[in-house]
């Protein structure tokens, strides 16, 4: 379980917003759906505590809004890269801590 | 006298109008994209979503994916399918899709019959149709409610005309928007159904537990003891003595044997000791009982 920091959430909002704006540009979502989707995104990302919470929400979103599946795949991919970077960053930090202790 | 417009001219005009509408929509979407990008850049993505959520809509439009999502939570499978099929028919009607495009097997008759059922709840419509067809209001209402007519019938033709009436469809669309408000009610029903299932499970558990003590076969502990008390009091007293002996034995085990070896504190007991004490206790009980 990877805990989300406020900066992580900001990055996740950015990824979601890019996919969302794409859908608006392609005119695949109407005004009501935009309102509902935005509410859903805020309702789920705001209380999300871990990276897994976000991934599970994105997966569910694709079930209700089939046209969101492509966007969800893209978001998942980007989130995974982001997650991997974060894990590597944490690992590096940990190794550095060990090095500084052993030195 | 009206002048007939040549078909080619009409075609050209329509093409022009269509292109203009499509162009307008495209421009509007692009303007929205620019507005959202600017908002995200200046105030952040979270604020952008908040602004989108707070957007005031003049006309409540149906949101079918959301409606299907809400309907999928209805616990009763029959009711769920019934409402899902109704929603699919409605979607075909308001989005002017051919019958059967969304609800497999739906016919054009199903569309007029569905709208007929809606019309049955509108007294003005019922009166107008009754006047037009020369039938009584009561029989017209029953006919509409039962959907007992087809597109080719007199009633069917009147209803069919409404399928192509934009202002009627606009009204219908805004009414469908209200369906989303049932989300909370359906949520509550689902919650109640879960609680019901929980109560039933608890009842079953209690019944099973109760049967250990008493049951209709007379094999529960209380049944056996009661039976013994009435049919064989001496045996019952013997059992009581055995139980008392067993209790004494346990006390002796604790105070004499365990204390004797300095093992009467739980912290001093080992797993092997307990197994050994159990074996010894069982042997002792068997010797008393035989």
């Amino acid at each position: 379980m990877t805990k989300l920091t406020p900066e992580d959430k900001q990055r996740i909002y950015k990824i979601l917003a890019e996919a969302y704006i794409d859908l608006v540009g392609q005119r695949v979502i109407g005004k009501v759906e935009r309102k509902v989707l935005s509410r859903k995104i805020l309702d789920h990302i705001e209380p999300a505590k871990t990276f897994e919470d976000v991934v599970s929400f994105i997966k569910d979103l694709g079930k209700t809004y089939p046209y969101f599946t492509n966007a969800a795949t893209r978001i998942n991919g980007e989130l995974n890269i982001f997650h991997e970077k974060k894990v590597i960053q944490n690992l590096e930090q940990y190794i550095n801590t060990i090095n500084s202790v052993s030195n | 006298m009206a002048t007939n417009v040549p078909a080619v001219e009409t075609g050209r005009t329509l093409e022009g109008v269509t292109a203009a509408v499509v162009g307008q929509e495209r421009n509007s979407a692009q303007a929205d994209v620019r507005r959202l990008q600017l908002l995200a850049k200046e105030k952040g993505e979270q604020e952008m979503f908040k602004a989108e959520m707070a957007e005031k809509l003049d006309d409540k439009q149906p949101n079918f994916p959301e409606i299907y999502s809400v309907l999928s939570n209805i616990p009763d499978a029959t009711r769920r399918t019934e409402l899902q099929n109704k929603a699919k028919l409605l979607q075909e009607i308001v989005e002017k899709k051919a019958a059967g495009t969304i609800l497999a097997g739906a016919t054009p008759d199903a569309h007029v019959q569905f709208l007929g059922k809606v019309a049955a709840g509108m007294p003005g419509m019922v009166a107008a149709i009754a006047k037009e067809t020369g039938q009584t209001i009561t029989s017209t209402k029953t006919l509409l409610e039962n959907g007992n007519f087809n597109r080719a019938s007199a009633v069917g033709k009147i209803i069919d005309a409404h399928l192509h009436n934009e202002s009627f469809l606009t009204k219908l669309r805004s009414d469908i928007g209200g369906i989303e408000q049932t989300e909370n009610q359906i949520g509550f029903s689902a919650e109640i159904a879960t609680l019901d299932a929980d109560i039933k499970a608890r009842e079953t558990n209690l019944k099973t537990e109760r049967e250990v003590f008493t049951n209709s076969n007379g094999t529960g502990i209380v049944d056996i003891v009661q039976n013994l008390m009435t049919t064989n009091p001496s045996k019952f007293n013997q059992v009581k003595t055995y139980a008392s002996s067993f209790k004494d034995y346990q006390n002796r085990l604790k105070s004499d044997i365990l204390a004797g070896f300095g093992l009467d504190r739980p912290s001093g007991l080992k797993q092997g000791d307990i197994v050994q004490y159990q074996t010894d206790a069982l042997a002792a009980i068997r010797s008393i009982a035989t």
Side-chain angles (χ1 to χ4, degrees):
Chain A
M1 300 290 258
T2 316
K3 288 242 186 284
L4 291 171
T5 64
E7 292 73 33
D8 294 339
K9 279 198 184 177
Q10 212 173 338
R11 173 78 186 124
I12 287 162
Y13 272 125
K14 195 173 167 58
I15 294 171
L16 285 169
E18 280 167 9
Y20 177 87
I21 293 174
D22 261 3
L23 291 175
V24 173
Q26 290 163 28
R27 287 174 292 150
V28 287
I29 46 174
K31 283 193 171 177
V32 175
E33 283 173 310
R34 278 168 61 175
K35 205 174 154 81
V36 174
L37 256 183
S38 298
R39 192 194 71 204
K40 274 188 191 288
I41 288 170
L42 287 166
D43 282 356
H44 285 84
I45 303 299
E46 204 52 28
K49 288 196 169 23
T50 64
F51 179 83
E52 287 74 15
D53 290 341
V54 178
V55 174
S56 143
F57 160 62
I58 305 282
K59 206 182 279 178
D60 282 348
L61 208 58
K63 285 181 202 160
T64 312
Y65 296 93
Y67 49 71
F68 207 78
T69 314
N70 288 341
T73 312
R74 208 194 91 196
I75 292 168
N76 253 332
E78 288 191 40
L79 280 179
N80 277 333
I81 294 169
F82 172 55
H83 186 218
E84 278 167 18
K85 271 186 193 166
K86 207 168 137 50
V87 170
I88 291 168
Q89 206 177 16
N90 287 345
L91 199 64
E92 279 173 352
Q93 209 173 355
Y94 177 67
I95 291 167
N96 285 339
T97 320
I98 293 174
N99 285 342
S100 64
V101 169
S102 60
N103 290 334
Chain B
M1 190 181 159
T3 312
N4 285 335
V5 181
V8 178
E9 283 296 318
T10 313
R12 277 183 198 151
T13 314
L14 276 176
E15 274 174 22
V17 170
T18 310
V21 170
V22 170
Q24 264 178 4
E25 279 185 6
R26 194 178 297 129
N27 287 341
S28 150
Q30 286 315 310
D32 272 357
V33 167
R34 280 194 295 274
R35 186 178 59 80
L36 291 173
Q37 282 170 335
L38 193 67
L39 197 62
K41 195 178 165 190
E42 286 181 352
K43 295 192 172 174
E45 286 74 15
Q46 191 179 359
E47 288 303 314
M48 182 205 84
F49 284 121
K50 281 184 183 169
E52 282 285 277
M53 192 182 80
E55 184 79 17
K56 282 200 168 48
L57 302 176
D58 298 335
D59 191 11
K60 206 162 170 24
Q61 295 289 309
N63 177 1
F64 282 103
E66 192 69 8
I67 289 171
Y68 292 128
S69 164
V70 169
L71 295 180
S72 68
N73 290 325
I74 295 175
D76 184 286
T78 315
R79 180 84 180 131
R80 187 170 61 237
T81 311
E82 183 197 337
L83 289 178
Q84 281 170 337
N85 287 346
K86 277 186 179 177
K88 284 177 187 171
L89 262 184
L90 259 177
Q91 192 178 358
E92 284 182 352
I93 292 168
V94 297
E95 291 181 357
K96 293 186 178 175
K97 288 191 169 142
T101 317
I102 299 169
L103 176 60
T107 60
D109 277 350
H111 279 193
V112 288
Q113 284 161 2
F114 187 87
L115 266 196
K117 284 176 188 171
V118 175
M122 304 160 127
M125 279 279 275
V126 177
I129 294 170
K131 192 179 173 190
E132 194 75 24
T133 57
Q135 294 180 42
T136 64
I137 288 183
T138 314
S139 64
T140 305
K141 193 164 187 269
T142 311
L143 190 73
L144 290 170
E145 274 172 350
N146 296 335
N148 197 15
F149 61 94
N150 58 37
R151 214 155 49 124
S153 69
V155 173
K157 280 176 185 165
I158 297 168
I159 298 287
D160 196 32
H162 283 84
L163 280 172
H164 307 288
N165 182 325
E166 193 49 45
S167 62
F168 180 79
L169 290 181
T170 305
K171 176 78 180 70
L172 197 61
R173 281 188 205 109
S174 68
D175 282 350
I176 297 165
I179 293 175
E180 288 159 45
Q181 287 165 10
T182 58
E183 182 171 8
N184 286 339
Q185 287 166 4
I186 291 170
F188 285 138
S189 314
E191 206 175 316
I192 290 166
T194 312
L195 288 173
D196 279 350
D198 192 30
I199 289 166
K200 271 184 194 158
R202 281 172 193 226
E203 275 177 358
T204 311
N205 282 346
L206 273 175
K207 194 167 170 269
T208 314
E209 271 181 40
R210 192 173 181 271
E211 281 178 351
V212 172
F213 296 97
T214 176
N215 58 52
S216 55
N217 297 325
T219 53
I221 294 166
V222 175
D223 299 333
I224 292 168
V225 172
Q226 271 182 342
N227 186 39
L228 210 57
M229 276 169 77
T230 48
T231 58
N232 197 341
S234 64
K235 190 84 178 170
F236 171 70
N237 287 331
Q238 211 179 345
V239 169
K240 265 176 41 182
T241 313
Y242 290 156
S244 172
S245 302
F246 181 66
K247 199 179 171 190
D248 287 347
Y249 186 80
Q250 275 185 317
N251 284 335
R252 273 198 285 138
L253 190 71
K254 186 175 181 295
S255 57
D256 300 348
I257 305 174
L258 293 181
F261 288 97
L263 294 172
D264 55 335
R265 286 171 303 162
S267 58
L269 277 173
K270 291 176 189 159
Q271 196 181 9
D273 296 332
I274 296 167
V275 173
Q276 189 55 51
Y277 296 146
Q278 280 176 336
T279 312
D280 292 348
L282 276 172
I285 291 164
R286 279 198 194 102
S287 71
I288 293 167
T290 49

